[in-house]
Amino acid sequence: MDKILIKRILPEVFKGMEGSSRIRDSRIWDAAPFTFERGCRICLQAESGAGKSSLLSFIYGNRSDYSGDIFFDDKNIRKISIQEWCRIRKTEIALLPQDMRLFPEISVIENIRLKNNLTNCKTEREIMEMLELLGIADKKDVPVSLLSIGQQQRVAIVRTLCQPFDFIFLDEPVSHLDDTNNRIVSNLIENEAHKREAGVITTSVGNQLKLNNMENVNL
């Protein structure tokens, strides 16, 4: 996948608000077509409740309660079959949701293997190297429920990277990390995206990934 095109998209919950500053000042909502190009580095910035998570859910196909159109290359995503969505989510688009969606009752490594067993993307050694880099290798057999929120966030990032992707969407991925861990996570994501020549789209209300050539976009 080389590009994702958004054309005059507006969440249904925002209908009737077209004249408000929230919509008028946005580069995404009800605006001229906006394109995410493969290889891009974009941070979508907005206050809480402005629709950042909703936009990522629209693009990932989890929700369809919006007007307008989203295209993967030249195909409207409303016409994508369930089978094709499964393939796209396995090989072309990766998503880290804000709520992380980890399974709290099982261990760190088991959470990661659930994803990696479907994709066969990383070796066990590569997974352990990422956990070591993020300072949580010693937690690999610990149930996720016993980790801090910042540690859980790092587990979720490793799991998200365990697949091929042309674009990776990260919803406030470093909101619970200090500056040191932010830089470590940023370098890991930058390196993984570079190897895949992939686009990185992240959201932020403040603390954000520290990627090279990041473009800040007002949602």
Side-chain angles (χ1 to χ4, degrees):
M1 188 184 302
D2 293 320
K3 65 180 180 180
I4 298 173
L5 175 64
I6 296 172
K7 298 181 69 173
R8 299 193 67 84
I9 187 172
L10 187 68
E12 289 183 1
V13 71
F14 288 173
K15 285 185 177 179
M17 300 172 58
E18 289 83 352
S20 68
S21 60
R22 172 181 291 186
I23 308 304
R24 192 174 58 248
D25 298 338
S26 172
R27 289 178 60 187
I28 303 293
W29 302 135
D30 202 32
F34 188 92
T35 301
F36 298 114
E37 299 279 359
R38 188 171 179 180
C40 68
R41 302 288 185 270
I42 292 177
C43 180
L44 299 170
Q45 295 184 315
E47 62 185 16
S48 180
K52 299 183 300 299
S53 298
S54 296
L55 176 62
L56 301 194
S57 292
F58 298 156
I59 294 172
Y60 200 66
N62 285 337
R63 292 173 51 185
S64 59
D65 53 322
Y66 62 89
S67 59
D69 296 292
I70 301 172
F71 294 85
F72 292 166
D73 292 329
D74 296 320
K75 185 160 188 176
N76 193 314
I77 69 170
R78 294 189 189 273
K79 298 180 180 179
I80 292 177
S81 67
I82 293 175
Q83 291 78 10
E84 191 172 0
W85 269 119
C86 291
R87 180 190 62 77
I88 288 170
R89 291 170 181 160
K90 186 177 179 180
T91 63
E92 297 185 21
I93 292 181
L95 171 67
L96 172 63
Q98 189 177 350
D99 62 6
M100 297 181 282
R101 298 179 190 171
L102 297 170
F103 295 93
E105 69 278 6
I106 62 175
S107 70
V108 166
I109 195 66
E110 288 171 327
N111 267 276
I112 295 169
R113 285 172 180 160
L114 283 174
K115 175 72 168 288
N116 197 61
N117 287 344
L118 294 173
T119 63
N120 297 311
C121 180
K122 297 288 186 181
T123 66
E124 194 81 359
R125 179 178 177 178
E126 288 172 325
I127 291 171
M128 289 307 302
E129 286 174 348
M130 288 192 287
L131 292 176
E132 187 72 40
L133 180 66
L134 298 182
I136 51 175
D138 61 329
K139 307 292 185 183
K140 73 181 184 69
D141 295 318
V142 175
V144 164
S145 61
L146 299 182
L147 302 184
S148 71
I149 297 298
Q151 290 170 332
Q152 291 181 26
Q153 203 159 44
R154 282 172 274 171
V155 173
I157 288 165
V158 172
R159 187 178 67 176
T160 303
L161 293 173
C162 286
Q163 72 166 88
F165 56 85
D166 299 326
F167 292 89
I168 184 168
F169 292 87
L170 306 156
D171 197 359
E172 299 192 37
V174 294
S175 57
H176 298 285
L177 302 185
D178 58 28
D179 192 62
T180 297
N181 280 304
N182 184 331
R183 290 188 180 280
I184 294 170
V185 165
S186 297
N187 288 338
L188 174 61
I189 291 171
E190 183 74 70
N191 291 337
E192 291 289 326
H194 178 74
K195 286 190 293 187
R196 297 163 167 81
E197 300 181 336
V200 181
I201 298 92
T202 182
T203 70
S204 172
V205 294
N207 196 22
Q208 67 180 62
L209 284 174
K210 303 178 186 301
L211 302 182
N212 297 326
N213 303 314
M214 177 78 84
E215 177 187 359
N216 293 323
V217 172
N218 182 10
L219 181 63

